[in-house]
Amino acid sequence: MSLAAESPLQSSSSSDDFAAFLDAELDADSSNSSPNDETNDDEEIDLKEERIKRHKVEMSETIEVIESSKIADVNKEKSVLSSESTKPNLCPHPGFIKGLCLICGQMEEDDGSGVALSYIHKDLKLGSHEMNRLRGADLRNLLREKKLILVLDLDHTLLNSTRLADVTTDEDHLLKQADLLQDDPNRSLFKLGSMHMLTKLRPFVRTFLKEASPMFEMYVYTMAERCYALEMARLLDPSNIYFNSKVISQSDCTQRHQKGLDVVLGAESVVVILDDTELVWQKHKDNLIVMERYHYFASSCHQFGFNVKSLSQCKKDESDTEGALANVLNVLRRVHQMFFDPALDTDLSSRDVREMLKKVRQDVLHGCKIAFSRVFPSTVRAADQHIWRIAEQLGALCTTDVDSSVTHVVSTDTGTAKARWAVQNEKFLVNPRWVEAANYFWCRQKEDDYVV
């Protein structure tokens, strides 16, 4: 399918545009040539000129980033390039395939400024200027369609996988269940024989993707290997509706043990990230919603040091309607509504989803004043403690002393003076898990579920 037939209104994803275009180009090259054909230099120049013209036409119709006047300038530059080969600097070299410029065919001079985007197309590398230009174009298209970008982790966020060799004896029933349900299109348990793995989709995940799709362009971003990432994306999106080419894996990361938005063709100001691991997003914590980990298999619990039975061993699962994905979908709806609120007097392009996320978080425990008792050592600075910082980010006021304005005492021991004071003064006495749960679910939890 030619990109020229596709309107920008039909697709706002620059990565998908690139993938489709480059595939079409390579298909065209392979169909018009064979190893036995010999083409002279003049014919190669003509073919290159034709590819350049087709490239410019299709890219302009797809992402609306080249104005008509600029197209004229580029065509003029191409003419100069063909007649004055002594001026290679006339081509802006926006990107490279296998080290050759997408426009002029010149060999790449690697200055370290480009970004490899092999998940879009093998051997593709774009310069920083072109990345910024595409992000700007993508932003305009997204805002016109009233969409943001959602980056999704896989393991422990959308699903849980285990090696077949790690399935415990009290999980053996899952293997039989996977075999019996292998023809059921609505199943959530998959035995992947070629990968020697068993994968369980998180409850509500299909509804989550369907409901999030009208609000977000969605990427998969995992630290796993590419073959695994593609297989998981296929399980989640068998009709290739949500992700298309937007599956980023370990080999695409530009920094070891870190995920970054530098390989995402979207402006950071419109990106929301869902991941169970905050540590890998050091540069983008303000874009992140930390998910409660989905530990379905026993091996997953053991991996994180939990000496408890897993959901599968207990033969139960998360709730569809009250689980992590259902809760975070409500958060995403609210963030999306706030971002595109017509009552705001700021231009859409100047709005920042990170500010919306911050506001939503601060509403979670707004109106609560929390005193901590024996949750951390008295010798440390309270304001530096993780749970204290989380409570403040959720909008609570924190203190180490108690007075009539305190609404909650967080403690692990009912025998402390503050805990006794809370009971005597009919204040909420909860364990630290109450704060942690509010952090994961982005809503205040029932205090009765977290008694000390």
Side-chain angles (χ1 to χ4, degrees), residues 53-89:
K53 292 176 183 177
R54 187 163 65 254
H55 172 217
K56 284 299 174 183
V57 170
E58 295 194 14
M59 288 300 290
S60 65
E61 291 183 352
T62 305
I63 38 183
E64 293 186 333
V65 295
I66 304 176
E67 299 173 0
S68 57
S69 60
K70 292 182 179 179
I71 294 175
D73 291 340
V74 172
N75 287 333
K76 183 178 179 180
E77 286 183 3
K78 288 190 295 179
S79 176
V80 174
L81 278 170
S82 62
S83 60
E84 298 184 39
S85 59
T86 58
K87 298 181 179 180
N89 62 323

Side-chain angles (χ1 to χ4, degrees), residues 269-416:
S269 60
V270 295
V271 175
V272 178
I273 304 164
L274 298 189
D275 202 313
D276 66 284
T277 306
E278 182 179 7
L279 190 62
V280 297
W281 290 104
Q282 290 297 317
K283 294 182 179 179
H284 307 287
K285 290 183 179 181
D286 291 341
N287 298 80
L288 176 65
I289 295 178
V290 179
M291 295 290 292
E292 183 176 32
R293 289 193 174 104
Y294 182 49
H295 295 296
Y296 185 75
F297 297 110
S299 63
S300 180
C301 290
H302 297 158
Q303 176 188 349
F304 287 88
F306 297 135
N307 189 26
V308 295
K309 284 193 173 184
S310 67
L311 290 169
S312 62
Q313 290 174 304
C314 296
K315 295 186 178 181
K316 62 181 183 179
D317 208 344
E318 283 185 355
S319 166
D320 265 338
T321 57
E322 297 180 1
L325 289 177
N327 275 283
V328 81
L329 180 61
N330 290 329
V331 175
L332 294 176
R333 286 187 178 123
R334 186 176 174 192
V335 169
H336 183 273
Q337 186 276 327
M338 291 172 65
F339 189 97
F340 290 101
D341 187 353
L344 296 179
D345 57 2
T346 57
D347 185 74
L348 278 177
S349 61
S350 65
R351 297 179 190 178
D352 196 320
V353 74
R354 289 166 290 198
E355 292 300 316
M356 314 299 172
L357 286 169
K358 185 177 179 180
K359 290 177 182 177
V360 173
R361 278 182 65 78
Q362 289 177 337
D363 286 343
V364 174
L365 295 182
H366 178 72
C368 298
K369 186 172 181 180
I370 302 173
F372 292 92
S373 177
R374 206 169 290 179
V375 176
F376 40 78
S378 58
T379 54
V380 301
R381 187 171 180 268
D384 293 336
Q385 303 310 299
H386 182 63
I387 193 169
W388 183 293
R389 294 200 305 270
I390 287 177
E392 287 188 331
Q393 290 169 6
L394 295 174
L397 295 176
C398 297
T399 180
T400 55
D401 300 316
V402 292
D403 58 35
S404 60
S405 63
V406 168
T407 59
H408 295 72
V409 171
V410 175
S411 181
T412 58
D413 185 353
T414 58
T416 69

Side-chain angles (χ1 to χ4, degrees), residues 80-287:
V80 174
L81 278 170
S82 62
S83 60
E84 298 184 39
S85 59
T86 58
K87 298 181 179 180
N89 62 323
L90 289 177
C91 178
H93 305 318
F96 299 85
I97 287 281
K98 293 186 176 181
L100 299 178
C101 177
L102 289 168
I103 292 182
C104 71
Q106 181 178 322
M107 183 66 73
E108 174 186 12
E109 294 180 8
D110 192 359
D111 59 1
S113 63
V115 178
L117 299 171
S118 58
Y119 73 92
I120 296 176
H121 201 287
K122 186 179 179 181
D123 302 314
L124 172 65
K125 186 176 183 179
L126 294 183
S128 57
H129 176 75
E130 185 69 4
M131 289 286 287
N132 291 334
R133 189 180 66 142
L134 288 173
R135 285 187 177 118
D138 195 61
L139 178 61
R140 291 191 293 273
N141 289 337
L142 286 170
L143 296 181
R144 183 175 61 245
E145 296 178 8
K146 292 189 176 181
K147 279 191 171 186
L148 303 173
I149 292 176
L150 184 62
V151 175
L152 298 165
D153 175 50
L154 287 175
D155 292 288
H156 304 109
T157 298
L158 300 183
L159 50 85
N160 192 202
S161 293
T162 186
R163 296 186 306 168
L164 292 178
D166 292 332
V167 174
T168 62
T169 54
D170 48 359
E171 291 177 320
D172 281 342
H173 67 281
L174 296 176
L175 298 176
K176 298 176 182 178
Q177 181 181 338
D179 288 335
L180 289 173
L181 298 176
Q182 61 181 334
D183 295 325
D184 183 357
N186 297 317
R187 69 192 187 280
S188 62
L189 185 65
F190 300 84
K191 186 166 74 172
L192 308 171
S194 62
M195 304 184 76
H196 308 288
M197 300 195 77
L198 194 62
T199 293
K200 173 69 171 63
L201 303 186
R202 196 167 200 166
F204 196 72
V205 67
R206 290 194 177 99
T207 302
F208 171 85
L209 293 174
K210 182 179 179 180
E211 296 294 324
S213 181
M215 300 183 290
F216 295 89
E217 285 289 339
M218 293 186 284
Y219 284 74
V220 163
Y221 199 146
T222 176
M223 296 294 276
E225 294 182 359
R226 182 154 187 80
C227 59
Y228 174 81
L230 291 174
E231 182 63 19
M232 295 303 105
R234 184 187 67 80
L235 298 183
L236 291 164
D237 184 19
S239 299
N240 205 23
I241 296 171
Y242 308 124
F243 305 129
N244 207 344
S245 66
K246 303 185 290 293
V247 179
I248 304 172
S249 58
Q250 184 185 67
S251 59
D252 301 303
C253 299
T254 57
Q255 187 176 346
R256 187 173 175 82
H257 303 310
Q258 284 291 303
K259 296 179 179 181
L261 296 180
D262 52 343
V263 293
V264 174
L265 283 176
E268 292 183 17
S269 60
V270 295
V271 175
V272 178
I273 304 164
L274 298 189
D275 202 313
D276 66 284
T277 306
E278 182 179 7
L279 190 62
V280 297
W281 290 104
Q282 290 297 317
K283 294 182 179 179
H284 307 287
K285 290 183 179 181
D286 291 341
N287 298 80

